[in-house]
Amino acid sequence: MGPPPRSPKVIYLLPFIAIILLYLRWFTPQLPITQNNTELKLAYATLLLPDTSSDPSRSTDIYFLSTRILNYQLLHDPRTRTTRAIPFLVLVTPDIPPWKCEHLKREGATIVRVGKLDVDWIQPGHERWRDVMIKLRLFELLSYDRILFLDADTFLFKPLDGVFADPAAQIQQTLQQASIEPDEGPLPASYVFGTSSEVTTASHSYPPVPMGYFNAGFFVMSPSLQLFSYYLSLFNHTTRFDTTYPEQNLLNYAHREDRNMPWGRLNFSWNINLPLPRDVEMGVASVHAKLWTKGNELKPVEQELQDIWRVKREEMEIWTGFGSGRM
Ligand SMILES: *[C@@H]1O[C@H](CO)[C@@H](O)[C@H](O)[C@H]1NC(C)=O
Ligand SMILES: *[C@@H]1O[C@H](CO)[C@@H](O)[C@H](O)[C@H]1NC(C)=O
């Protein structure tokens, strides 16, 4: 007894069914994957600063190279790329040469031109603030709902799309648990600021011991002009925080855990500073380190990680070579 012969009626219907299916495919808006924050506009972002090496040329700007590797890993490398078409924004200041912007654009990055925070109330001796503080301009990018900022010396081992679903990447209501300094700007009613605990020694455990201090090389935020003005208002009170790492310490001050806008703790597995090969074996998704160097005695970069970086660099360059014709 084989299968029952197919009814001829069904055969006549098949072309109509196909047409209906095609119609639905073409004329129905693509529904977002059912995850509660997919309708939000998401982005990855980094900041590319001018090359300060003594002989700036096409080959000396290691941060430019590092940004290109990050772009490759976030957008193109099948092992780590976004599967939700999340764009990668590269914030550039007017002193970044146009060829660098063009190059990054050809490789898929979204160039966002930003001005320096050129305000005369930055006190003398704080010139380099103008550069690092540009990071705060992320808070002005109102066309995005959530941005994961990564320092240009971040290297991926796993995709990062899931970070936007982390509880610490969601909206927090501003608390009223502490008094407000009258000479600081007003706080927004709610905010998003999720990041990871700092790791201070290369001989750390994994997961690292949670600290009250975070590294500003990896954080999820939501643009907000009110938050931006609040941060700017802190520039007038530079005695309230240590200015060795101005933007990191300003953000740590603004988001102190016992105040009204405490920082949220992202799952430790998203990113680690001062990485060891063991952190990678244990599954960390990304690391923050200058993997193109040996580091120094306090912050060594193990050979194994340097090698992984070098191989990825070659892979990216081969990809670019093949890709440049069609981009
Ligand atoms: C900082 O102080 C100066 C002088 O008192 C004032 O003009 C400026 O508006 C203040 N800036 C902010 C962002 O509060
Ligand atoms: C953090 O992420 C790791 C790896 O994905 C997971 O095993 C762990 O349960 C997470 N921790 C929390 C508190 O969600």
Side-chain angles (χ1 to χ4, degrees):
M1 297 207 337
R6 193 179 292 213
S7 139
K9 269 188 206 142
V10 174
I11 291 175
Y12 293 137
L13 281 176
L14 281 179
F16 294 103
I17 293 172
I19 286 167
I20 288 166
L21 287 178
L22 280 174
Y23 179 88
L24 289 175
R25 169 75 184 74
W26 280 334
F27 296 103
T28 316
Q30 290 297 296
L31 294 176
I33 312 159
T34 48
Q35 203 176 39
N36 58 6
N37 63 3
T38 9
E39 59 285 350
L40 297 178
K41 281 209 73 184
L42 308 177
Y44 295 110
T46 198
L47 169 63
L48 180 62
L49 291 175
D51 183 6
T52 51
S53 55
S54 51
D55 169 30
S57 76
R58 285 199 175 231
S59 53
T60 55
D61 189 353
I62 194 76
Y63 281 96
F64 175 58
L65 175 61
S66 189
T67 302
R68 290 179 55 214
I69 297 176
L70 193 52
N71 177 67
Y72 172 68
Q73 292 197 294
L74 287 169
L75 302 186
H76 308 292
D77 183 351
R79 266 157 292 191
T80 50
R81 71 183 169 205
T82 173
T83 51
R84 293 159 65 184
I86 300 175
F88 177 43
L89 318 179
V90 179
L91 274 60
V92 298
T93 49
D95 46 9
I96 298 290
W99 71 264
K100 282 186 188 171
C101 301
E102 284 310 312
H103 194 120
L104 287 165
K105 227 194 267 180
R106 271 204 308 280
E107 292 181 354
T110 305
I111 301 296
V112 178
R113 287 168 213 281
V114 290
K116 299 213 171 185
L117 285 178
D118 216 6
V119 277
D120 42 12
W121 42 263
I122 290 186
Q123 292 141 30
H126 285 156
E127 289 312 306
R128 76 191 181 89
W129 281 44
R130 287 181 211 278
D131 281 342
V132 290
M133 288 296 188
I134 298 166
K135 224 184 242 191
L136 299 180
R137 291 233 183 257
L138 286 171
F139 289 85
E140 294 181 298
L141 304 182
L142 300 180
S143 41
Y144 298 94
D145 299 301
R146 298 277 188 287
I147 299 175
L148 170 64
F149 176 84
L150 316 105
D151 265 355
D153 53 350
T154 304
F155 188 89
L156 272 61
F157 288 91
K158 293 184 176 173
L160 295 179
D161 285 358
V163 77
F164 294 103
D166 192 291
Q170 314 310 317
I171 295 175
Q172 317 293 325
Q173 297 306 313
T174 300
L175 307 175
Q176 293 182 342
Q177 63 178 1
S179 60
I180 293 165
E181 309 293 343
D183 52 2
E184 295 179 2
L187 304 183
S190 63
Y191 65 100
V192 176
F193 195 86
T195 178
S196 306
S197 171
E198 176 65 300
V199 167
T200 50
T201 63
S203 58
H204 53 262
S205 56
Y206 189 89
V209 177
M211 292 180 59
Y213 181 82
F214 59 82
N215 186 293
F218 188 97
F219 58 89
V220 182
M221 45 71 70
S222 179
S224 153
L225 291 184
Q226 205 173 0
L227 202 45
F228 182 66
S229 328
Y230 170 68
Y231 296 147
L232 290 191
S233 78
L234 301 179
F235 278 49
N236 272 356
H237 307 297
T238 53
T239 51
R240 294 185 189 164
F241 55 95
D242 173 5
T243 56
T244 322
Y245 301 108
E247 95 291 11
Q248 175 160 302
N249 289 340
L250 183 143
L251 289 170
N252 265 283
Y253 175 83
H255 295 288
R256 284 165 290 167
E257 287 186 294
D258 57 349
R259 308 300 284 203
N260 296 322
M261 291 196 299
W263 59 285
R265 281 174 192 272
L266 294 173
N267 186 311
F268 61 84
S269 66
W270 289 118
N271 182 263
I272 196 165
N273 192 28
L274 296 182
L276 295 171
R278 190 172 38 105
D279 306 330
V280 178
E281 280 156 32
M282 301 278 282
V284 77
S286 69
V287 303
H288 180 202
K290 300 179 193 356
L291 300 186
W292 57 88
T293 66
K294 291 188 178 54
N296 56 38
E297 215 174 313
L298 280 178
K299 301 181 169 189
V301 176
E302 288 196 27
Q303 188 64 43
E304 193 179 330
L305 294 177
Q306 296 175 46
D307 292 345
I308 293 173
W309 184 86
R310 213 180 37 247
V311 169
K312 189 59 70 184
R313 173 198 177 155
E314 281 161 15
E315 185 184 314
M316 183 275 289
E317 284 174 341
I318 291 170
W319 169 83
T320 309
F322 287 143
S324 53
R326 61 184 153 76
M327 278 188 301

